[in-house]
Amino acid sequence: GYDEKTLFQNVNLQIDRSERVAMIGDNGCGKSTMMRLIQGKEAPKAGEARLGDKELCKVNYFYQNQAEDLDGDVGVLETLVRAAPDEPLNQLKALLGRMAFNTSYHDRPVNFLSGGEKARLALAKFMVTPANVLFLDEPTNHLDIESIQWLEDFLKNYHGAIILISHDRAFLDFVTNRTIEINAGKIYDYKFAYSKYKVLREEELIVQKSAAKNQEKYIK
């Protein structure tokens, strides 16, 4: 939490390397905070939040305004080369081609790209950066439909761990296999993708409301 505000407490979670986790909840509930805690970018007020072996965990982080961190003076192709120096040059060029950057773009500085082109380049850079743990915070917000499809395909074929925050429920359902909900300071953990989680969660709420009404009648 922050100052006097507690976002969540009494949490015990473990995410393993093969899991693809959707983190959901209302705005301000603590999703992004949880993501930063796991990465070590913030410290919890009590307890411990950490990655596993730092030598083994290679993290890549995609956030809403990813394009803003691109170096404007570097060319399009060189941006990918710097992100993945061991990747064959032909494969980097092929990826740029799939993302609508023909050869005329290869030497063009990032500052001369449009907003949409910068978003696509940021996505390409994310896709080639070596990692076995991916954190994504609302990654689809500034992407067009075709770019979202590229990201979906990339994540679907990715073999490491994924922790994903998104309000795009179809995107969550396509990519993830576990759902963690942060709600009123509590954590609800389901070993299912979003659509199945939603059904089970609604059933639980119905049971809880019924039990509360019965308890109220009993007290009266």
Side-chain angles (χ1 to χ4, degrees), residues 12 44 49 54 93 119 134 144 162 164 166:
N12 184 12
K54 291 183 179 179
K93 291 179 178 180
L134 300 183
D144 57 29
I162 296 173
L164 169 63
S166 178

PDB file of all heavy atoms in Angstrom, residues 12 44 49 54 93 119 134 144 162 164 166:
ATOM      1  N   ASN A  12      -0.625 -14.691  -0.514  1.00  0.00           N
ATOM      2  CA  ASN A  12       0.377 -15.747  -0.686  1.00  0.00           C
ATOM      3  C   ASN A  12       0.215 -16.315  -2.093  1.00  0.00           C
ATOM      4  O   ASN A  12      -0.706 -17.086  -2.352  1.00  0.00           O
ATOM      5  CB  ASN A  12       0.191 -16.839   0.367  1.00  0.00           C
ATOM      6  CG  ASN A  12       1.275 -17.899   0.279  1.00  0.00           C
ATOM      7  OD1 ASN A  12       2.280 -17.725  -0.410  1.00  0.00           O
ATOM      8  ND2 ASN A  12       1.078 -19.004   0.975  1.00  0.00           N
ATOM      9  N   PRO A  44       7.319  -3.939  -0.709  1.00  0.00           N
ATOM     10  CA  PRO A  44       6.086  -4.045   0.078  1.00  0.00           C
ATOM     11  C   PRO A  44       6.266  -3.441   1.464  1.00  0.00           C
ATOM     12  O   PRO A  44       7.390  -3.358   1.978  1.00  0.00           O
ATOM     13  CB  PRO A  44       5.849  -5.567   0.154  1.00  0.00           C
ATOM     14  CG  PRO A  44       7.220  -6.163   0.018  1.00  0.00           C
ATOM     15  CD  PRO A  44       7.974  -5.250  -0.903  1.00  0.00           C
ATOM     16  N   ALA A  49       8.183  -9.831  -1.849  1.00  0.00           N
ATOM     17  CA  ALA A  49       7.730 -10.050  -3.228  1.00  0.00           C
ATOM     18  C   ALA A  49       8.985 -10.084  -4.090  1.00  0.00           C
ATOM     19  O   ALA A  49       9.781  -9.148  -4.061  1.00  0.00           O
ATOM     20  CB  ALA A  49       6.801  -8.932  -3.677  1.00  0.00           C
ATOM     21  N   LYS A  54      17.785 -14.661  -9.976  1.00  0.00           N
ATOM     22  CA  LYS A  54      18.008 -13.515 -10.860  1.00  0.00           C
ATOM     23  C   LYS A  54      18.853 -13.873 -12.076  1.00  0.00           C
ATOM     24  O   LYS A  54      18.787 -13.197 -13.103  1.00  0.00           O
ATOM     25  CB  LYS A  54      18.657 -12.382 -10.073  1.00  0.00           C
ATOM     26  CG  LYS A  54      17.724 -11.763  -9.033  1.00  0.00           C
ATOM     27  CD  LYS A  54      18.373 -10.588  -8.330  1.00  0.00           C
ATOM     28  CE  LYS A  54      17.412  -9.976  -7.316  1.00  0.00           C
ATOM     29  NZ  LYS A  54      18.027  -8.833  -6.605  1.00  0.00           N
ATOM     30  N   LYS A  93      14.868  -8.241 -40.212  1.00  0.00           N
ATOM     31  CA  LYS A  93      14.298  -7.581 -41.386  1.00  0.00           C
ATOM     32  C   LYS A  93      12.952  -8.209 -41.763  1.00  0.00           C
ATOM     33  O   LYS A  93      12.010  -7.507 -42.143  1.00  0.00           O
ATOM     34  CB  LYS A  93      15.272  -7.661 -42.563  1.00  0.00           C
ATOM     35  CG  LYS A  93      16.522  -6.817 -42.400  1.00  0.00           C
ATOM     36  CD  LYS A  93      17.440  -6.977 -43.608  1.00  0.00           C
ATOM     37  CE  LYS A  93      18.685  -6.101 -43.487  1.00  0.00           C
ATOM     38  NZ  LYS A  93      19.589  -6.252 -44.652  1.00  0.00           N
ATOM     39  N   ALA A 119       4.400   2.765 -32.282  1.00  0.00           N
ATOM     40  CA  ALA A 119       3.782   1.707 -31.479  1.00  0.00           C
ATOM     41  C   ALA A 119       4.116   0.331 -32.052  1.00  0.00           C
ATOM     42  O   ALA A 119       4.415  -0.608 -31.307  1.00  0.00           O
ATOM     43  CB  ALA A 119       2.266   1.912 -31.416  1.00  0.00           C
ATOM     44  N   LEU A 134       7.556 -12.425 -18.996  1.00  0.00           N
ATOM     45  CA  LEU A 134       6.992 -11.228 -19.629  1.00  0.00           C
ATOM     46  C   LEU A 134       5.970 -10.565 -18.703  1.00  0.00           C
ATOM     47  O   LEU A 134       5.076 -11.227 -18.180  1.00  0.00           O
ATOM     48  CB  LEU A 134       6.302 -11.584 -20.949  1.00  0.00           C
ATOM     49  CG  LEU A 134       7.155 -12.230 -22.039  1.00  0.00           C
ATOM     50  CD1 LEU A 134       6.308 -12.444 -23.288  1.00  0.00           C
ATOM     51  CD2 LEU A 134       8.389 -11.384 -22.356  1.00  0.00           C
ATOM     52  N   ASP A 144      -3.128  -1.002 -33.162  1.00  0.00           N
ATOM     53  CA  ASP A 144      -4.247  -1.235 -34.072  1.00  0.00           C
ATOM     54  C   ASP A 144      -4.592  -2.729 -34.077  1.00  0.00           C
ATOM     55  O   ASP A 144      -3.914  -3.548 -33.443  1.00  0.00           O
ATOM     56  CB  ASP A 144      -3.928  -0.735 -35.477  1.00  0.00           C
ATOM     57  CG  ASP A 144      -2.663  -1.361 -36.060  1.00  0.00           C
ATOM     58  OD1 ASP A 144      -2.331  -2.510 -35.699  1.00  0.00           O
ATOM     59  OD2 ASP A 144      -1.992  -0.711 -36.878  1.00  0.00           O
ATOM     60  N   ILE A 162       4.011 -15.510 -18.255  1.00  0.00           N
ATOM     61  CA  ILE A 162       3.388 -14.248 -18.669  1.00  0.00           C
ATOM     62  C   ILE A 162       2.517 -13.735 -17.523  1.00  0.00           C
ATOM     63  O   ILE A 162       1.716 -14.480 -16.955  1.00  0.00           O
ATOM     64  CB  ILE A 162       2.505 -14.445 -19.919  1.00  0.00           C
ATOM     65  CG1 ILE A 162       3.352 -14.871 -21.121  1.00  0.00           C
ATOM     66  CG2 ILE A 162       1.725 -13.174 -20.239  1.00  0.00           C
ATOM     67  CD1 ILE A 162       2.532 -15.247 -22.340  1.00  0.00           C
ATOM     68  N   LEU A 164      -0.112 -10.576 -17.170  1.00  0.00           N
ATOM     69  CA  LEU A 164      -0.762  -9.663 -18.104  1.00  0.00           C
ATOM     70  C   LEU A 164      -1.897  -8.901 -17.436  1.00  0.00           C
ATOM     71  O   LEU A 164      -2.786  -9.494 -16.822  1.00  0.00           O
ATOM     72  CB  LEU A 164      -1.298 -10.477 -19.290  1.00  0.00           C
ATOM     73  CG  LEU A 164      -2.237  -9.802 -20.283  1.00  0.00           C
ATOM     74  CD1 LEU A 164      -1.536  -8.654 -20.986  1.00  0.00           C
ATOM     75  CD2 LEU A 164      -2.751 -10.816 -21.293  1.00  0.00           C
ATOM     76  N   SER A 166      -4.940  -6.381 -18.500  1.00  0.00           N
ATOM     77  CA  SER A 166      -5.666  -5.873 -19.667  1.00  0.00           C
ATOM     78  C   SER A 166      -7.155  -5.822 -19.364  1.00  0.00           C
ATOM     79  O   SER A 166      -7.681  -6.649 -18.608  1.00  0.00           O
ATOM     80  CB  SER A 166      -5.410  -6.776 -20.882  1.00  0.00           C
ATOM     81  OG  SER A 166      -6.141  -6.319 -22.006  1.00  0.00           O
TER      82      SER A 166
END
